Amino acid sequence: MLALVAKRLLQSQPNINTARGLLTRIKYDCRRAIATTSEIATKAPPTIVRRRSRTANGERSVGDEIDQQYTLSWSGATPRTVLIIKKANDKQVDAALVRISQWLNQAYPQINVVLEPQVYQQFHHLLPSVRTIAPGSIGEYTRVVDFVVTLGGDGTFLHVSSLFQSQVPPIIPFSMGTLGFLLPFNVADFQSQLQKVIEGTATLLPRTRLTYSKRTFDGSVDKQGPVNITNEACIHRGTYPHLTTISCYLNDHLLTTSVGDGIIVGTPTGSTAYSLSAGGPIVHPLVSSMIVAPVCPRSLSFRPLMLPSNSVVKLQVHRESRGRATAYIDGRDCGELLQGEYIEIRQSPHPLMCVNREDLAAGWALDINQLLKFNRTFSYPHESLFGDDDPEGQH
């Protein structure tokens, strides 16, 4: 049996809120992946504990009270199962998958490499040691996978969330897509980064997920049941020519009724996705919150909102709305909503635990500047960002 144990680095100060001073535990089922799922063993639940930061001289750093990063170690042995998720139809990603799988088989032969069924069919002749899980057995991923490697872009990362509707194992994402704002690691460094995960020295960042449920006129839950959200849920008029009237409720109290193209409810992770394009704020991933942002409202005063993460938001197609609407979850069409039907969104108890840089603040600031060009001013090609001739920006 394996136990995944995270150890507190330093004790919190007594004047910090009691809830923040308590050990924060996130449990996973321990797993062993083999060719047939009937032979998979389940191991004891592990614990991940919040990391506390200090400066070089041992003093508590500013903002330590809201440091929600975690540290990870494996107790007794290395993990047994890794799931590799890849971007489709990309030769560079295919080559990286082969290279990483072969390296894992040589460096850590006790670790089983698992691929999705369609990827397994494509690569099992090149990688005879890899395993897969039977199509349609999506629940087995939660039971057998110890950690996940993603090769692709932000869309590949989002796909992992759809495979784990409850507890999610640690995810280490390698950037091989178009933007990669959620992906801190270069695939060229895969050996050193995977060694940190396997040997238990990685830093984890919890990314909030939300849950979505569609409800009918009488409030009963739609047959598809609750679905986890990584970026955002959205009600949008879609292909209908008329604007949609949507009533937004906060904890069962009417917040506003909007006439427009739609409304977005997003996570801090999703704040740099569709919500950002709709004028929403950029939110740091450690800020526990929900975002409500209108999409092209027929009003100049409907501004984006940030709500507490324990809020319950209901978006209802108004009974007198001229047009119907469609619900979208992380860009996926989740069906039409008729007048009077609504979706209910609340925080999920199962965040995404993502392997991240140790210095999250520096990495996040670098990403919004380099990838999103945050507050980039206009300049001529021969001028630097600061309007002088210093190419390094030292002025």
Side-chain angles (χ1 to χ4, degrees), residues 22-58:
L22 295 176
L23 298 184
T24 303
R25 296 179 174 86
I26 298 177
K27 297 181 179 179
Y28 309 108
D29 291 330
C30 286
R31 313 105 186 157
R32 182 174 64 89
I34 51 180
T36 58
T37 57
S38 61
E39 302 175 17
I40 295 176
T42 301
K43 51 189 184 181
T47 302
I48 289 179
V49 182
R50 180 174 300 173
R51 187 184 73 172
R52 293 294 180 183
S53 59
R54 290 182 183 261
T55 57
N57 62 6

Side-chain angles (χ1 to χ4, degrees), residues 343-377:
I343 64 173
E344 190 174 84
I345 302 160
R346 62 182 70 223
Q347 186 178 33
S348 169
H350 305 294
L352 295 177
M353 299 302 293
C354 306
V355 179
N356 211 299
R357 306 179 182 95
E358 291 189 12
D359 192 343
L360 174 63
W364 186 78
L366 184 68
D367 286 343
I368 66 170
N369 278 282
Q370 289 192 346
L371 298 178
L372 299 184
K373 312 301 181 186
F374 179 69
N375 198 30
R376 183 62 58 89
T377 187

Side-chain angles (χ1 to χ4, degrees), residues 282-322:
I282 298 177
V283 182
H284 193 282
L286 292 185
V287 178
S288 184
S289 60
M290 297 170 61
I291 301 167
V292 175
V295 182
C296 301
R298 196 181 65 184
S299 169
L300 296 178
S301 58
F302 189 172
R303 312 311 302 164
L305 302 172
M306 285 183 60
L307 304 175
S309 59
N310 61 355
S311 302
V312 178
V313 176
K314 181 172 77 173
L315 301 180
Q316 183 178 38
V317 180
H318 199 278
R319 292 182 181 274
E320 298 181 1
S321 176
R322 293 185 64 191

Side-chain angles (χ1 to χ4, degrees), residues 157-376:
F157 176 82
L158 294 178
H159 175 61
V160 175
S161 179
S162 69
L163 298 178
F164 298 90
Q165 287 301 311
S166 57
Q167 298 162 344
V168 186
I171 305 169
I172 176 165
F174 292 101
S175 179
M176 299 191 72
T178 304
L179 182 61
F181 186 78
L182 305 179
L183 317 173
F185 301 116
N186 191 307
V187 72
D189 303 323
F190 77 86
Q191 293 188 16
S192 61
Q193 298 302 332
L194 288 177
Q195 284 173 349
K196 290 180 180 179
V197 174
I198 296 170
E199 296 172 6
T201 59
T203 298
L204 300 180
L205 167 69
R207 289 188 177 273
T208 300
R209 290 199 296 180
L210 305 176
T211 60
Y212 151 97
S213 59
K214 178 183 175 182
R215 297 181 181 266
T216 57
F217 307 97
D218 59 359
S220 59
V221 180
D222 185 77
K223 60 182 180 180
Q224 72 179 103
V227 178
N228 279 312
I229 304 165
T230 303
N231 272 352
E232 75 281 313
C234 175
I235 288 185
H236 196 278
R237 67 184 177 94
T239 59
Y240 291 102
H242 301 295
L243 298 179
T244 299
T245 303
I246 302 172
S247 296
C248 179
Y249 294 84
L250 173 61
N251 298 334
D252 290 327
H253 298 285
L254 179 63
L255 180 64
T256 188
T257 298
S258 171
V259 178
D261 283 355
I263 296 180
I264 297 168
V265 179
T267 65
T269 297
S271 69
T272 53
Y274 188 16
S275 173
L276 182 62
S277 298
I282 298 177
V283 182
H284 193 282
L286 292 185
V287 178
S288 184
S289 60
M290 297 170 61
I291 301 167
V292 175
V295 182
C296 301
R298 196 181 65 184
S299 169
L300 296 178
S301 58
F302 189 172
R303 312 311 302 164
L305 302 172
M306 285 183 60
L307 304 175
S309 59
N310 61 355
S311 302
V312 178
V313 176
K314 181 172 77 173
L315 301 180
Q316 183 178 38
V317 180
H318 199 278
R319 292 182 181 274
E320 298 181 1
S321 176
R322 293 185 64 191
R324 290 171 287 182
T326 303
Y328 297 91
I329 303 299
D330 291 337
R332 302 190 306 273
D333 187 335
C334 289
E336 187 180 70
L337 294 173
L338 303 178
Q339 287 85 346
E341 293 185 324
Y342 63 93
I343 64 173
E344 190 174 84
I345 302 160
R346 62 182 70 223
Q347 186 178 33
S348 169
H350 305 294
L352 295 177
M353 299 302 293
C354 306
V355 179
N356 211 299
R357 306 179 182 95
E358 291 189 12
D359 192 343
L360 174 63
W364 186 78
L366 184 68
D367 286 343
I368 66 170
N369 278 282
Q370 289 192 346
L371 298 178
L372 299 184
K373 312 301 181 186
F374 179 69
N375 198 30
R376 183 62 58 89

